Amino acid sequence: MEAVRRRQRRQRILLVAGAWTAVGLLETGQGYLRSAMGLPDVGLTKALIGNLPWWYGWALLTPIIYWVQRRFPFAPGRVARSAAVHTVLAAAFAVLHTTLSGTVFWLTSGRFNGVPSPMVQVRNLLSAFLLEEMICYAVVVGISVAVDYAAIVRAQERERAAMSLRAAALEASVSRATLDALTMELNPHFLFNALNAVSGLVRRGDQAEAVEMIGRLGDLLRATINRDRGPECTVADELELVRHYLHIEQVRFRDRLDVVWDVDPSTDGLALPSLILQPLVENALRHGLAPLDGPGSITVGIARRGAWLVVEVRDTGIGFPVDGGIREGVGLRNTRARLAQLYGAQASLSYGPRDGGATDRGTTVRVSLPAHTLALHSASDAAD
């Protein structure tokens, strides 16, 4: 950090020296224009000696003027006071600069041109250039104010950028925490229902079925625990879990449950929210097929339609109540919330009578989301 400050200090010194050197050289160039205008040619050497020391005097005073400007800034409520102070200081610096530069000028050329003393030289210069000197002071103050203002603007822009980054990081953190909480909510919900089904078989005395269901539940839990599950997984991984789950339910329903898989194999590598199918299938079983006296079926459909991935769970259950009253449970609310967290308005969840017919028995739940792969979605998250 100290090395950076030293480098910045050197850069400022070079900038000030270069700026005043440029001014001195511009005025020196006037010597060459004199002969073209019919005036006496002062010569290059004499012009340099007469002009550069004068402007280098301002170069030496510039850091002091910059400090004074920061000590008496033109801040709101202090403009009149600062203007009065700088007017007095402009005259003082004009006298100081003319005294220093006039002395140097007398030593290098004035005494050789008949000027009797440095004080006479300084008096002559003040009478001719006092207003110009005060204007030079005002220019230095103005430039220092502009430099400070530019530094403030850059600092504010950096702070806004930093705040935007912090806000984006916080938003991403909150979003991920919300997704994790929603996903965690499904696990105890599902386990409770699965264990409740096992206890129901035991109470009925179906020991063989209970043992088989416990084995399949173990397979399901093993498949769940052995995966590094993020907010998304592939269609193939999600189907593996749902197959385990439906195997468990087929033990419970026996021959009353028929499962149809209508899955396009080309969608296996596309991304889905983790554990999105299981609650939809569970809803179809609990609210659609379980109340039936006879057998029923569930169809799991996954297909790509243009830029969209469409997931459907269709059942031949009892369908919607006659009065149309539908209350979303944990599964649907959770699914809708996770879709909103992951994809915003691009994803949707809808449900209605199977195949769209008002008199059809059964229900269709449909989820639409942008078709993408896990790799593409991860890259997008990293860029954000």
Side-chain angles (χ1 to χ4, degrees):
M1 182 62 70
E2 183 60 31
V4 173
R5 282 197 290 266
R6 285 198 301 267
R7 184 171 66 251
Q8 291 175 343
R9 192 178 302 116
R10 287 195 299 268
Q11 290 173 346
R12 286 195 293 268
I13 292 172
L14 291 174
L15 179 62
V16 170
W20 287 115
T21 298
V23 174
L25 291 176
L26 285 173
E27 188 165 357
T28 299
Q30 293 179 0
Y32 287 99
L33 298 177
R34 284 180 172 273
S35 59
M37 297 172 63
L39 298 174
D41 187 356
V42 297
L44 177 60
T45 302
K46 189 175 181 180
L48 288 172
I49 294 174
N51 289 303
L52 285 182
W54 181 272
W55 297 111
Y56 282 147
W58 280 114
L60 292 174
L61 294 177
T62 294
I64 303 175
I65 297 173
Y66 180 64
W67 178 86
V68 170
Q69 183 276 134
R70 301 192 75 180
R71 179 68 178 80
F72 301 99
F74 290 91
R78 303 173 62 182
V79 174
R81 173 176 175 270
S82 295
V85 170
H86 284 293
T87 300
V88 174
L89 289 175
F93 272 89
V95 172
L96 175 61
H97 173 259
T98 304
T99 301
L100 294 174
S101 301
T103 301
V104 173
F105 185 77
W106 183 83
L107 291 173
T108 57
S109 62
R111 61 180 176 174
F112 303 115
N113 294 322
V115 180
S117 68
M119 294 306 297
V120 174
Q121 183 75 72
V122 170
R123 185 188 61 193
N124 293 338
L125 292 174
L126 277 175
S127 63
F129 299 112
L130 178 60
L131 180 59
E132 179 182 315
E133 293 285 86
M134 294 181 68
I135 291 174
C136 285
Y137 174 90
V139 169
V140 174
V141 169
I143 292 175
S144 63
V145 169
V147 169
D148 283 348
Y149 178 76
I152 292 172
V153 171
R154 287 195 299 269
Q156 290 175 341
E157 289 177 348
R158 287 195 297 269
E159 180 62 23
R160 283 195 294 268
M163 290 179 63
S164 297
L165 288 175
R166 288 194 296 268
L170 178 61
E171 183 179 354
S173 176
V174 170
S175 179
R176 178 56 57 91
T178 303
L179 284 170
D180 290 344
L182 290 169
T183 302
M184 290 296 294
E185 182 183 357
L186 287 176
N187 294 334
H189 185 253
F190 161 69
L191 286 176
F192 172 80
N193 289 329
L195 292 175
N196 188 51
V198 172
S199 65
L201 291 174
V202 173
R203 283 195 299 270
R204 292 205 306 263
D206 296 334
Q207 305 298 331
E209 287 83 356
V211 170
E212 182 178 355
M213 181 175 285
I214 291 173
R216 292 193 180 278
L217 180 58
D219 293 336
L220 175 59
L221 294 177
R222 188 159 42 249
T224 303
I225 294 172
N226 288 342
R227 328 176 4 198
D228 181 17
R229 186 177 64 233
E232 291 184 315
C233 65
T234 64
V235 169
D237 288 340
E238 185 71 5
L239 286 175
E240 178 187 7
L241 292 180
V242 174
R243 290 182 197 277
H244 283 304
Y245 172 75
L246 283 174
H247 285 157
I248 293 172
E249 294 299 334
Q250 283 181 310
V251 172
R252 183 164 69 95
F253 277 81
R254 298 183 179 178
D255 56 355
R256 292 179 52 225
L257 175 60
D258 181 36
V259 178
V260 179
W261 301 95
D262 183 17
V263 178
D264 183 352
S266 66
T267 63
D268 282 352
L270 297 180
L272 278 177
S274 298
L275 288 177
I276 195 172
L277 267 176
Q278 186 274 328
L280 301 183
V281 171
E282 181 182 343
N283 269 349
L285 291 173
R286 289 185 61 194
H287 304 295
L289 298 183
L292 286 178
D293 294 330
S297 69
I298 286 182
T299 300
V300 177
I302 301 179
R304 180 167 186 167
R305 297 175 185 171
W308 303 97
L309 181 65
V310 179
V311 178
E312 291 184 345
V313 175
R314 302 185 292 272
D315 67 72
T316 58
I318 61 173
F320 287 88
V322 177
D323 60 3
I326 302 171
R327 185 176 63 86
E328 290 190 358
V330 172
L332 286 179
R333 288 201 309 271
N334 187 295
T335 300
R336 193 183 297 281
R338 288 197 298 142
L339 287 170
Q341 284 287 332
L342 280 170
Y343 314 112
Q346 290 184 296
S348 64
L349 182 149
S350 60
Y351 45 80
R354 182 171 57 92
D355 298 329
T359 60
D360 287 339
R361 288 171 60 89
T363 304
T364 295
V365 179
R366 179 179 296 107
V367 172
S368 297
L369 63 144
H372 64 283
T373 64
L374 287 178
L376 289 177
H377 198 269
S378 300
S380 174
D381 289 343
D384 293 340

